[in-house]
Amino acid sequence: MAAHIEMYIRGPYDKVNTRTGACPTCHEYTLAFSVLQEAMPNLLTTLDIVPFTPENPPPILKEYGNGKRFPVLFVKEGKDSKGIDMSNTVCDTTDEIEGLLDRFNCTRLHGRRDSVEEAEAEKAFDSLYVKFMAYIKNPDKDAKGILRELMKLNEHLGRQQEKGLRFAVEDHLTLADCYVLPKVHHIRIAGKAYRDFDIPLDLIHLWRYLENCYNQKIFVRSCPADKDIVEFYRAKTPIKPNMEATKVMLGPVTLTLDVPAEVAQHPPRENGENGD
């Protein structure tokens, strides 16, 4: 029996529940389960993404984390890769969600314990988001820490690109990409709005990676609007955002998914219907 999963994620700041919100963890797992569905359509046939607001969670969520944990997954029906029934399974912690991913045994989503390549990729961005949060919270903090982490990631991606690989581990999206891509995208949007920070153009491998990822349909479908990303950090920093520094004033559904012309690949690599 193929699986049917409902994933409840945090919605946008303006409570329009037709859009995905900017919670990075929700984005990571939306990407991961989208990759799973793309890789194993016979095991995961239906993936319903349901945005909601913490102030008014659906009745089905009220007994799980009081609407404070994101995301919450319900396996409506289905069996794992060993044929064991998972119907009515509920996951509302990251450990439980990781365990659910493991039950599908998808090679594209093997964690660092099961893949040396995945472990190496994750080491390249282990401290990236921590450094970013420290930078965005403190107006007096310089950018040296976040720049070091971006350079480390750039070096890893450069080694991958020398092998002819577009992404962090393989030539298709894997778990490492699901973890790091939302973080880098948040750095690009929120970093500009709050600290007038730009990812340096000389980090060419990182920019080429972003271009490859932005060409993936599953990323575009899961990506929060620029304004939602900016609003996500408003309560996390004393700094006021400079909305004019980004494109967010153009509207709530603006998505900055381009790369500077100086680093764009010409022509971009052609992708298939699913972006692979």
Side-chain angles (χ1 to χ4, degrees):
M1 178 171 53
H4 174 189
I5 293 177
E6 289 182 350
M7 181 185 298
Y8 289 82
I9 65 172
R10 183 170 183 166
Y13 77 98
D14 58 7
K15 303 180 183 179
V16 178
N17 286 349
T18 56
R19 299 203 317 273
T20 60
C23 168
T25 304
C26 289
H27 196 183
E28 290 170 11
Y29 289 119
T30 299
L31 275 176
F33 279 88
S34 296
V35 168
L36 174 61
Q37 185 179 36
E38 186 176 280
M40 306 182 77
N42 293 332
L43 271 185
L44 178 56
T45 57
T46 306
L47 176 63
D48 295 326
I49 307 297
V50 185
F52 73 96
T53 56
E55 299 83 2
N56 187 29
I60 196 172
L61 291 184
K62 289 184 177 179
E63 60 183 292
Y64 299 105
N66 295 316
K68 296 179 181 179
R69 293 174 177 168
F70 314 106
V72 178
L73 277 73
F74 292 86
V75 183
K76 304 292 287 185
E77 62 179 1
K79 296 181 179 180
D80 63 17
S81 61
K82 296 179 180 179
I84 300 173
D85 190 15
M86 301 184 295
S87 300
N88 301 315
T89 298
V90 180
C91 304
D92 70 338
T93 69
T94 54
D95 286 343
E96 291 173 349
I97 295 170
E98 296 283 350
L100 180 60
L101 279 174
D102 288 343
R103 293 187 67 173
F104 286 93
N105 194 29
C106 177
T107 56
R108 291 175 61 174
L109 295 170
H110 280 172
R112 61 170 71 197
R113 290 175 300 177
D114 301 313
S115 167
V116 174
E117 293 79 11
E118 175 73 20
E120 180 181 351
E122 290 189 27
K123 286 180 182 178
F125 58 83
D126 265 345
S127 301
L128 178 62
Y129 197 66
V130 172
K131 296 295 184 182
F132 172 64
M133 290 304 297
Y135 176 61
I136 204 171
K137 287 180 177 180
N138 186 348
D140 297 321
K141 192 171 185 62
D142 61 40
K144 292 179 181 178
I146 185 66
L147 285 172
R148 279 196 299 270
E149 296 304 315
L150 289 171
M151 290 172 62
K152 184 169 68 172
L153 177 59
N154 184 69
E155 291 171 1
H156 170 78
L157 295 170
R159 292 191 291 271
Q160 297 303 97
Q161 290 166 17
E162 287 176 0
K163 302 174 186 176
L165 303 175
R166 290 176 291 168
F167 303 109
V169 177
E170 299 286 353
D171 199 40
H172 48 245
L173 294 174
T174 65
L175 192 59
D177 302 297
C178 298
Y179 287 155
V180 72
L181 181 53
K183 295 178 175 66
V184 175
H185 190 64
H186 276 226
I187 289 169
R188 184 181 183 192
I189 304 302
K192 183 66 176 176
Y194 286 97
R195 297 296 310 270
D196 196 25
F197 176 81
D198 291 301
I199 297 174
L201 295 181
D202 60 356
L203 299 184
I204 187 71
H205 306 299
L206 177 55
W207 278 112
R208 287 178 175 168
Y209 172 74
L210 281 175
E211 183 181 28
N212 288 330
C213 291
Y214 288 163
N215 282 329
Q216 304 302 297
K217 289 182 174 63
I218 60 175
F219 177 76
V220 176
R221 288 195 299 264
S222 65
C223 189
D226 292 357
K227 184 172 286 188
D228 291 323
I229 293 176
V230 173
E231 290 295 332
F232 180 80
Y233 292 92
R234 191 182 288 271
K236 303 178 185 297
T237 175
I239 305 169
K240 292 184 178 181
N242 178 2
M243 306 298 268
E244 294 182 358
T246 68
K247 298 180 180 179
V248 297
M249 292 303 291
L250 297 178
V253 295
T254 301
L255 301 177
T256 300
L257 299 177
D258 56 352
V259 300
E262 297 92 328
V263 295
Q265 300 182 55
H266 300 289
R269 178 169 176 168
E270 293 294 331
N271 294 322
E273 180 62 25
N274 290 321
D276 284 332

